[in-house]
């Protein structure tokens, strides 16, 4: 029964992945959260609806953009395991795009921090000293910055040119994405006051991905191990 | 849903002062006087009814006069709207998200309400609300409220000085601290297991802090009884301390000679102390405290003042103390 369910699911995923407009469709889907954020910013600053996001709009926007980035990062990390398990190679064609979109939302998230928390909407108001202090003294900011720095590096080196230039090292470098995801979840956990259920939900997802990686690594080692002949 | 039985003392919601009317003091007095003729102090016992929709049904407290000794300059500190105050709350028993208490706190039954008073007092016992708070002496005070999370609001509370409550139970001279316990009823708090903190919620004050004229035992907000998410039917408010010091929905007041272990200190002693005075020079380990976000502004642009701007009144309580050590 499980086998049939799996086959059915694979068939559906394959049909979607092989659709002519698969890539543009994923692109538009990734754009949706940006529209939502843009609309909310409009409510806040253009259309005079200061209550639309609740009493603390900055917190709402920071939370939302951070979750968008984290969700897209974890979806990106799902692509390879799902491809390997299902054999649908076309999935790979959207992995880079998903990763870059995750980076875009991480950038928006950092931008909101800079503008709302550190008043960097102008040079005069920007609290440069406070940012420096945050980066040195506050563990959750450090964890977030670790994640973000990795994501900047990976986004810059995501082009085909860099793939060619770095050769084997490209894959090694891009494995850092797991550190970025871990750091992002640690960042989320460390800002909580007591209830960890929300960040841990993402943590479980990441843990499953780690287990799958481990499974593939073990399988690969088994396959490549030379066959010893016993007499 | 809570079924409310109307009593003769209940004021129909149509006669309760809306916020925009309230904002103009003259209008408020006129409307309240018209709407509340014959309303006795007992009105407030109709309590904080249910849910966001039912907030309009909260009873009015028309005879609370504003005490001009405890107001703010509203050109600098304009009142935060009723809507914002009542939909953005930290009350973990009803959910850890700011919006959840407004959705869930209506389940709490705040009538009848008794407060157990024990410890070093001459008159221990179970007190009804009206036995502790003199509803004929209610006054309105506008207080700044600064959360340890670096946001702040300005709220018009109604209540009596905590000292007047304590006087009624006659603390013994040996009592040097007051401990407050917040209500904890699992059956009326569906999300309590998610709170992630020890319950019931405990807070405490040093005796001189408790007796300070600024320390308020609040029963109302914006001319009406407190909505449940704001700590109905009675809560402490200490405007020069971070918000978590101001315990909500008090069910027990214990006088003691030992410093109480308050919930957040128990949770993370390195981050939250007993005193928790608003202090821009002592950062929280995870974020600075020198600036705050005055809701609903998204920008953390307001400079936090020492003792939340009440330094001239309370700084002397702490003279000679190292406030970096006693945070």
């Amino acid at each position: 029964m499980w086998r049939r369910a799996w086959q059915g699911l694979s068939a559906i995923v394959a049909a979607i992945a092989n659709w002519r407009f698969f890539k543009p469709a994923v692109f538009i889907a990734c754009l949706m959260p940006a529209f939502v954020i843009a609309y909310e910013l409009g409510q806040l600053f253009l259309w005079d609806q200061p209550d639309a996001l609740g009493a603390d709009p900055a917190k709402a926007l920071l939370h939302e953009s951070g979750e968008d980035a984290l969700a897209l990062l974890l979806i990106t990390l799902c692509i390879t395991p799902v491809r390997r398990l299902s054999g649908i190679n076309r999935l790979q064609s959207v992995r880079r795009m998903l990763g870059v979109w995750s980076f875009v939302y991480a950038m928006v998230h950092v931008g909101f921090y800079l503008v709302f928390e550190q008043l960097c909407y102008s040079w005069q108001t920007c609290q440069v000293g406070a940012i420096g202090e945050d980066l040195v003294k506050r563990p959750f900011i450090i964890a977030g910055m670790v994640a973000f720095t990795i994501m900047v590096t990976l986004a810059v080196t995501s082009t085909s040119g860099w793939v060619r230039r770095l050769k084997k090292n490209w894959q090694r470098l891009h494995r850092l994405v797991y550190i970025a995801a871990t750091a992002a979840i640690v960042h989320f956990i460390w800002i909580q006051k007591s209830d960890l259920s929300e960040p841990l939900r993402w943590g479980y997802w990441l843990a499953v991905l780690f287990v799958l990686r481990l499974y593939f690594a073990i399988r690969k080692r088994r396959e490549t191990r030379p066959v010893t002949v016993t007499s | 849903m809570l079924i409310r039985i109307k009593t003769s003392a209940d004021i129909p919601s149509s006669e309760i002062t809306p916020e925009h009317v309230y904002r103009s003091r003259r209008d408020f007095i006129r409307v309240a006087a018209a709407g509340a003729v014959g309303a006795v102090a007992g009105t407030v016992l109709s309590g904080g009814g249910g849910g966001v929709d039912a907030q309009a049904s909260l009873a009015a407290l028309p005879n609370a006069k504003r005490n001009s000794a405890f107001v703010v300059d509203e050109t600098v500190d304009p009142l935060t709207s009723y809507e914002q105050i009542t939909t953005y709350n930290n009350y973990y028993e009803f959910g850890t998200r700011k919006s959840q208490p407004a959705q869930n706190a209506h389940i709490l039954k705040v009538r009848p309400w008794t407060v157990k008073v024990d410890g070093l007092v001459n008159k221990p016992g179970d007190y009804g609300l009206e036995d502790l708070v003199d509803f004929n002496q209610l006054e309105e005070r506008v207080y700044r409220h600064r959360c340890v999370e670096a946001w702040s609001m300005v709220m018009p509370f109604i209540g009596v000085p905590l000292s007047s409550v304590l006087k009624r139970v006659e603390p013994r001279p040996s009592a040097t601290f007051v401990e407050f316990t917040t209500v904890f009823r699992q059956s009326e708090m569906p999300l309590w297991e998610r709170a992630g903190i020890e319950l019931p919620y405990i807070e405490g004050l040093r005796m001189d802090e408790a007796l300070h004229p600024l320390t308020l035992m609040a029963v109302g907000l914006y001319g009406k009884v407190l909505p449940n998410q704001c700590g109905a039917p009675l809560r402490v408010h200490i405007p020069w301390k971070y918000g978590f010091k101001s315990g909500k929905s008090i069910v027990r007041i214990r006088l003691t000679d030992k410093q109480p272990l308050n919930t957040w200190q128990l949770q993370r002693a390195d981050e939250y102390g007993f005193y928790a005075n608003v202090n821009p020079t002592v950062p929280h380990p995870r974020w600075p405290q020198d600036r705050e976000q005055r809701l609903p502004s998204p920008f953390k642009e307001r400079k936090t003042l020492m003792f939340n701007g009440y330094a001239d009144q309370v700084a002397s309580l702490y003279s000679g103390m190292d406030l970096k050590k006693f945070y």
Side-chain angles (χ1 to χ4, degrees):
Chain A
M1 193 204 122
W2 287 112
R3 202 185 165 79
R4 292 200 55 183
W6 174 250
Q7 280 170 347
L9 199 66
S10 296
I12 293 168
V13 176
I16 295 169
N18 289 321
W19 181 37
R20 196 145 55 107
F21 299 111
F22 176 55
K23 254 182 110 164
V26 172
F27 184 87
I28 289 168
C30 290
L31 199 59
M32 287 300 145
F35 278 126
V36 174
I37 291 172
Y39 176 71
E40 288 170 343
L41 287 173
Q43 286 181 308
L44 211 52
F45 295 110
L46 297 178
W47 309 314
D48 199 29
Q49 301 169 23
D51 292 343
L53 297 180
D56 191 347
K59 190 174 174 161
L61 286 165
L62 273 163
H63 190 90
E64 180 183 346
S65 54
E67 278 205 321
D68 289 340
L70 188 54
L72 274 164
L73 189 61
L74 291 177
I75 291 171
T76 311
L77 290 176
C78 284
I79 295 291
T80 303
V82 172
R83 173 183 61 83
R84 283 198 192 158
L85 290 171
S86 65
I88 306 163
N89 291 329
R90 241 196 121 204
L91 284 175
Q92 208 70 11
S93 66
V94 294
R95 190 177 70 168
R96 169 162 58 191
M97 183 166 70
L98 287 166
V100 172
W101 270 109
S102 168
F103 163 70
V104 167
Y105 289 109
M107 235 172 18
V108 171
H109 181 68
V110 171
F112 284 154
Y113 160 79
L114 291 174
V115 170
F116 295 136
E117 299 257 315
Q118 306 295 2
L119 315 178
C120 296
Y121 43 79
S122 76
W123 287 114
Q124 289 81 25
T125 51
C126 191
Q127 307 286 313
V128 182
I131 298 170
E133 224 171 280
D134 266 6
L135 284 174
V136 180
K137 283 191 188 163
R138 325 263 180 237
F140 89 96
I141 296 274
I142 296 169
M145 261 336 274
V146 166
F148 186 65
T149 310
I150 291 174
M151 288 175 83
V152 173
T153 315
L154 301 194
V156 168
T157 59
S158 66
T159 59
S160 309
W162 276 102
V163 178
R164 247 179 288 118
R165 238 167 293 164
L166 291 170
K167 297 194 185 89
K168 271 200 159 173
N169 287 327
W170 187 88
Q171 199 180 19
R172 280 189 204 153
L173 178 69
H174 279 246
R175 277 193 193 129
L176 286 176
V177 73
Y178 280 94
I179 301 204
T182 310
I185 289 168
V186 167
H187 166 72
F188 199 172
I189 288 172
W190 279 350
I191 194 60
Q192 303 295 314
K193 269 170 79 190
S194 70
D195 178 13
L196 302 180
S197 58
E198 226 181 324
L200 286 182
R201 268 201 289 276
W202 301 101
Y204 297 141
W205 186 355
L206 183 65
V208 170
L209 289 167
F210 269 117
V211 169
L212 281 173
R213 271 232 75 112
L214 200 69
Y215 164 73
F216 288 126
I218 292 168
R219 201 174 70 170
K220 196 173 173 190
R221 183 174 289 184
R222 277 218 191 117
E223 280 166 2
T224 53
R225 195 192 290 162
V227 182
T228 48
V229 183
T230 48
S231 54
Chain B
M1 163 180 165
L2 195 76
I3 296 167
R4 285 165 39 84
I5 298 162
K6 287 240 175 238
T7 66
S8 60
D10 271 342
I11 296 176
S13 57
S14 58
E15 289 180 15
I16 286 172
T17 320
E19 185 200 323
H20 65 277
V21 177
Y22 179 92
R23 280 178 175 275
S24 159
R25 193 61 192 161
R26 277 173 178 281
D27 284 358
F28 169 70
I29 292 166
R30 182 172 50 77
V31 172
V37 174
V40 289
T43 310
V44 299
L45 300 177
S46 58
V52 179
D53 304 330
Q55 268 164 12
S57 69
L58 293 177
L61 295 171
N63 34 13
K65 298 270 179 319
R66 186 174 287 199
N67 185 337
S68 58
F70 299 97
V71 292
V72 296
D73 179 355
E74 287 184 33
T75 59
V76 182
D77 289 313
L79 294 187
T80 308
S81 78
Y82 188 75
E83 167 77 14
Q84 279 151 6
I85 294 172
T86 55
T87 54
Y88 190 84
N89 307 96
N90 277 327
Y91 199 155
Y92 280 22
E93 291 85 334
F94 297 109
T96 54
R97 289 194 181 188
K98 301 281 186 289
S99 56
Q100 284 173 328
Q103 293 155 6
N104 299 320
H106 66 278
I107 305 167
L108 182 71
K109 228 178 136 252
V110 297
R111 185 175 54 154
W113 193 267
T114 43
V115 181
K116 181 189 169 92
V117 178
D118 61 350
L120 304 172
V121 286
N122 289 331
K123 292 182 173 174
D126 290 333
Y127 286 79
L129 192 54
E130 68 280 17
D131 302 326
L132 277 183
V133 176
D134 183 351
F135 283 93
N136 294 314
Q137 296 294 318
L138 291 183
E139 56 183 78
E140 183 184 64
R141 300 177 174 195
V142 180
Y143 275 168
R144 286 180 290 270
H145 178 86
R146 169 64 157 80
C147 180
V148 73
E149 296 163 1
W151 53 264
S152 61
M153 295 183 179
V154 182
M155 314 193 221
F157 281 113
I158 288 170
V160 293
L162 178 65
S163 61
S164 76
V165 174
L166 292 175
K167 256 179 219 134
R168 289 179 166 223
V169 300
E170 295 180 12
R172 297 200 193 127
S174 53
T176 45
F177 292 95
V178 194
E179 181 187 88
F180 303 98
T181 305
T182 294
V183 67
F184 179 42
R185 295 183 203 145
Q186 296 179 3
S187 61
E188 295 172 25
M189 298 169 163
L191 297 176
W192 73 269
E193 279 176 292
R194 291 280 195 80
I197 51 173
E198 285 287 318
L199 296 174
Y201 190 83
I202 305 282
E203 258 309 334
L205 292 171
R206 216 168 59 187
M207 202 63 189
D208 56 344
E209 297 175 326
L211 295 176
H212 192 280
L214 270 175
T215 305
L216 189 71
M217 183 61 101
V219 296
L221 173 73
Y222 260 119
K224 296 185 250 183
V225 298
L226 285 170
N228 287 2
Q229 64 269 34
C230 295
L234 85 166
R235 57 98 42 98
V236 190
H237 196 267
I238 311 123
W240 74 91
K241 290 177 180 283
Y242 292 125
F244 71 85
K245 288 300 293 178
S246 296
K248 292 172 168 174
S249 309
I250 304 296
V251 291
R252 184 178 176 197
I253 298 174
R254 189 171 71 93
L255 282 290
T256 164
D257 55 3
K258 289 182 190 68
Q259 181 174 301
L261 180 57
N262 50 323
T263 299
W264 279 105
Q265 193 186 358
L266 175 68
Q267 178 80 14
R268 295 196 69 159
D270 58 327
E271 298 193 344
Y272 311 100
F274 174 76
Y275 285 93
N277 292 314
V278 176
N279 187 342
T281 66
V282 178
H284 182 281
R286 286 186 279 161
W287 55 84
Q289 293 290 25
D290 57 339
R291 279 180 290 129
E292 68 199 48
Q293 191 188 346
R294 176 60 56 83
L295 299 178
S297 163
F299 300 108
K300 201 180 274 185
E301 56 192 348
R302 190 176 278 259
K303 286 233 182 316
T304 291
L305 304 172
M306 190 65 202
F307 296 114
N308 204 20
Y310 299 96
D312 52 341
Q313 293 160 77
V314 299
S316 59
L317 294 174
Y318 310 101
S319 55
M321 273 177 74
D322 180 0
L323 296 176
K324 281 199 165 58
K325 198 174 154 208
F326 298 100
Y327 52 89

